[in-house]
Amino acid sequence: MPNSSSISEFLLLPLADTRQLQLLHFWLLLGIYLAALLGNGLISTAVACDRRLHTPMYFFLLNLALLDLGCISTTLPKAMANALWDTRAISYAGCAAQLFFFLFFISAEYYLLTIMSYDRYVAICKPLHYGTLMDSRACATMAAAAWGSGVLSSLLHTASTFSLPLCQGNVVNQFFCEIPQILKLSCSESNLREVLVIIFTTSLAFGCFVFIVVSYVQIFLAVLRMPSEQGRHKAFSTCLPHLAVVSLFLSTAFFAYLKPPSVSSPLLDLSVALLYAVVPPTLNPIIYSMRNREIKHALRKVLQYALFQL
């Protein structure tokens, strides 16, 4: 049996068995990747260039778009390259780096979504204190905390995962390096260090989830007490996109990591991974721009300027 010191590369799960289907998957993934790049790139450009969007809500949206770009760029390019060149290999260092950056971006995004729920809570439930609680310094500090927490969480998981001895081969049953699939290659059933890291991050994730739920309960109670129908509509229009993004992110990620082993299969694992690693970064720009007039107006200005330059 090989051990971790003798493994120089891992073999990822192929997306298809035939060459024709591999090429089809390559073009499909390329289309999804370009759509994600375009959507998140336009959101980032619109928020950065339009002064009317230089507010806490759109500052966090800019950070979310950057994290989405990083998240999808960590997984899809390698999957597309493997499909195009008919290969499955990824180096040991490349697998560790892919796992680290994917966990970093997805963890930081979760913490950022928690901060964004706090921003909406302050805006609706404490509007008179919004300028004080959500000034530029506070926003920068909270965004830095989200990014920093993502780095810490990713570093802990990556270090504990790759410190385990691996003696169950080098075949990863996923299209990218993922913790559950790497752990299946471990010689031991459990590792105290990994268990402690999982308990710590799970507790933190559950705390964030409770914070989001409590925030939105108070938000909806405050909105329902508003006498003006126009005020209620405006409040819901700023909250519903964030709530939709949170629901999409949590439902897919929780199912991927908390589903029982008895319902696990390569096809199901692949489908779920595509749902939580690919779908949210692609749909988030659409969700946020669908009912937001300010974003639509800023995007229209960006596109008009780009067409004028051509």
Side-chain angles (χ1 to χ4, degrees):
M1 284 289 187
N3 56 36
S4 55
S5 62
S6 65
I7 294 177
S8 61
E9 66 177 18
F10 292 95
L11 298 179
L12 299 176
L13 183 70
L15 295 175
D17 297 327
T18 65
R19 186 60 183 151
Q20 290 78 8
L21 285 177
Q22 285 180 338
L23 293 176
L24 176 61
H25 282 112
F26 166 78
W27 289 111
L28 287 175
L29 292 180
L30 179 61
I32 293 172
Y33 185 54
L34 292 177
L37 290 182
L38 178 62
N40 288 289
L42 285 174
I43 290 287
S44 302
T45 304
V47 173
C49 296
D50 195 325
R51 292 184 177 181
R52 292 182 302 174
L53 301 185
H54 291 180
T55 63
M57 183 177 74
Y58 294 110
F59 169 74
F60 293 130
L61 181 57
L62 170 62
N63 280 266
L64 181 67
L66 295 177
L67 289 171
D68 281 335
L69 284 173
C71 182
I72 200 167
S73 297
T74 303
T75 57
L76 279 198
K78 181 60 180 176
M80 289 188 294
N82 284 355
L84 182 62
W85 302 111
D86 192 18
T87 181
R88 299 172 55 190
I90 183 173
S91 68
Y92 187 93
C95 184
Q98 188 180 62
L99 180 65
F100 171 82
F101 283 109
F102 178 74
L103 288 174
F104 160 55
F105 288 119
I106 204 168
S107 299
E109 180 165 336
Y110 182 44
Y111 301 138
L112 184 69
L113 289 172
T114 305
I115 292 170
M116 293 173 76
S117 70
Y118 174 71
D119 170 69
R120 292 298 84 208
Y121 163 76
V122 175
I124 293 173
C125 299
K126 299 181 181 295
L128 298 179
H129 302 283
Y130 187 76
T132 304
L133 295 175
M134 302 300 295
D135 60 8
S136 57
R137 185 173 181 178
C139 292
T141 301
M142 287 187 282
W147 288 76
S149 299
V151 171
L152 178 61
S153 177
S154 177
L155 189 61
L156 289 173
H157 273 296
T158 304
S160 61
T161 300
F162 281 91
S163 65
L164 296 174
L166 307 178
C167 60
Q168 302 294 330
N170 66 337
V171 178
V172 178
N173 289 321
Q174 191 54 271
F175 75 96
F176 66 97
C177 290
E178 187 185 37
I179 285 182
Q181 304 302 330
I182 299 294
L183 292 180
K184 289 180 181 180
L185 306 180
S186 172
C187 304
S188 57
E189 290 295 327
S190 63
N191 179 272
L192 180 59
R193 186 169 16 180
E194 178 63 20
V195 169
L196 291 176
V197 171
I198 290 175
I199 291 175
F200 171 74
T201 55
T202 302
S203 301
L204 186 60
F206 181 73
C208 292
F209 175 73
V210 171
F211 184 87
I212 292 172
V213 172
V214 171
S215 297
Y216 268 98
V217 168
Q218 297 188 62
I219 287 171
F220 285 134
L221 290 176
V223 170
L224 293 176
R225 288 195 296 265
M226 290 181 178
S228 169
E229 183 178 350
Q230 185 178 1
R232 291 196 298 268
H233 177 75
K234 183 177 180 180
F236 276 126
S237 68
T238 61
C239 291
L240 290 181
H242 175 258
L243 193 58
V245 169
V246 170
S247 301
L248 178 64
F249 180 87
L250 292 182
S251 60
T252 54
F254 280 6
F255 183 75
Y257 285 94
L258 299 180
K259 69 181 185 298
S262 58
V263 301
S264 179
S265 69
L267 180 59
L268 179 62
D269 291 344
L270 176 63
S271 302
V272 171
L274 286 170
L275 281 176
Y276 85 90
V278 175
V279 173
T282 307
L283 292 185
N284 285 353
I286 299 174
I287 293 173
Y288 267 104
S289 61
M290 189 176 298
R291 298 184 60 184
N292 192 309
R293 294 181 179 179
E294 294 177 324
I295 285 286
K296 287 181 179 179
H297 179 73
L299 289 175
R300 195 177 299 114
K301 287 175 60 178
V302 170
L303 292 174
Q304 288 175 349
Y305 178 79
L307 292 174
F308 179 76
Q309 293 299 313
L310 294 176

